[in-house]
Amino acid sequence: MSRIGKNPIAIPAGITVEVKDAVVTVKGKLGELTQEFSDVTVKIEDNQVIVERSSDHKDERAKHGLYRSLINNMIIGVSEGFTKELELVGVGYRASNQGQKLDLALGFSHNIVLEVVKEVTVETVSEKGKNPIVKLSSFDKQLLGQVAAKIRGFRKPEPYKGKGVKFVGEELRRKAGKSA
C-alpha cells in the first residue's frame, strides 16, 4: 500500500471538490484547477478526498500516490497559493517588472523580456547592497515551477563564483578554481 496514497485529504472550508468522468475539479477563492486521472478511483466522503486503487498492478501502484499528491497540491493551491523566489547573483544583474512583463539584465548584450502568464503574479525586489529577488506566486504549483525553471534557465548558476539565477535557499555545488 502506498504510504502517501492511502492518506485522506481534508477539504478546508470554502473549497469545493467535484469528481466527474475521471476528472477532478477543485474550486477555491484563488482560482479553479482540473486534473484528469486514470487507474485509480477518487471518492469524496465526510469532507475528505480518498484515492483508492483496485489492484496491486504496477501502473496502479505508481499512480496511487501521484494522484493523491496532485489533488492535495490543487487543494492547497486554491486555498493558500504557492510562492517561489529567485535570486540574481552577479555584478550588474538586475530585474524589473511592469505588470506581467519581467525585464532581466543578466550580462548578455541585450535584456531578456519575458511575458509571464496571467496565472502567475510577478514582483521584483531590489535593495541597495543586496542581490535582486524575483518573487513568483500562483495557485498552480506545476505552472509556477515551470515559469521559475524557465527564468532560472536563462543563466544557470555556475560552479566557480556562483553567478547566475538561483532559487533562494538553494545550495550550490562549488568547485575550487585553478591552483597556482
Side-chain angles (χ1 to χ4, degrees):
M1 203 61 184
S2 169
R3 279 187 275 178
I4 292 171
K6 68 182 177 184
N7 293 335
I9 308 164
I11 302 172
I15 306 295
T16 59
V17 180
E18 281 183 15
V19 181
K20 190 176 191 181
D21 298 333
V23 175
V24 176
T25 306
V26 180
K27 294 178 189 170
K29 64 181 181 200
L30 297 178
E32 178 180 340
L33 293 169
T34 60
Q35 175 67 49
E36 294 182 10
F37 62 91
S38 62
D39 296 335
V40 294
T41 57
V42 178
K43 296 187 290 189
I44 300 168
E45 295 175 357
D46 303 327
N47 226 15
Q48 290 183 332
V49 179
I50 298 167
V51 180
E52 294 175 339
R53 62 177 192 246
S54 58
S55 71
D56 253 0
H57 191 263
K58 189 176 180 181
D59 288 343
E60 291 184 19
R61 282 200 327 262
K63 291 179 181 176
H64 190 204
L66 168 76
Y67 286 122
R68 192 263 179 209
S69 293
L70 289 176
I71 294 167
N72 189 41
N73 286 340
M74 289 165 57
I75 291 173
I76 292 170
V78 297
S79 60
E80 302 166 24
F82 295 100
T83 58
K84 280 197 184 283
E85 293 183 348
L86 295 149
E87 184 178 8
L88 281 62
V89 181
V91 177
Y93 287 13
R94 290 184 311 279
S96 63
N97 72 308
Q98 292 82 33
Q100 291 297 95
K101 271 197 172 133
L102 181 63
D103 190 4
L104 299 168
L106 297 175
F108 297 114
S109 61
H110 58 283
N111 285 3
I112 297 169
V113 179
L114 179 70
E115 184 72 41
V116 181
V117 293
K118 68 180 186 312
E119 289 89 2
V120 179
T121 57
V122 181
E123 182 187 342
T124 54
V125 179
S126 299
E127 294 180 26
K128 190 172 171 115
K130 292 187 179 178
N131 294 328
I133 292 177
V134 177
K135 292 182 181 180
L136 303 169
S137 58
S138 176
F139 59 88
D140 191 346
K141 190 173 187 177
Q142 188 174 346
L143 184 66
L144 180 69
Q146 194 174 350
V147 171
K150 185 174 183 82
I151 294 170
R152 186 179 185 272
F154 290 138
R155 177 77 83 169
K156 286 188 178 167
E158 53 94 23
Y160 297 100
K161 290 184 178 178
K163 290 171 52 173
V165 180
K166 70 180 192 94
F167 293 109
V168 171
E170 178 182 7
E171 291 290 324
L172 296 177
R173 193 154 176 217
R174 299 296 289 270
K175 291 183 180 178
K178 287 192 267 185
S179 50

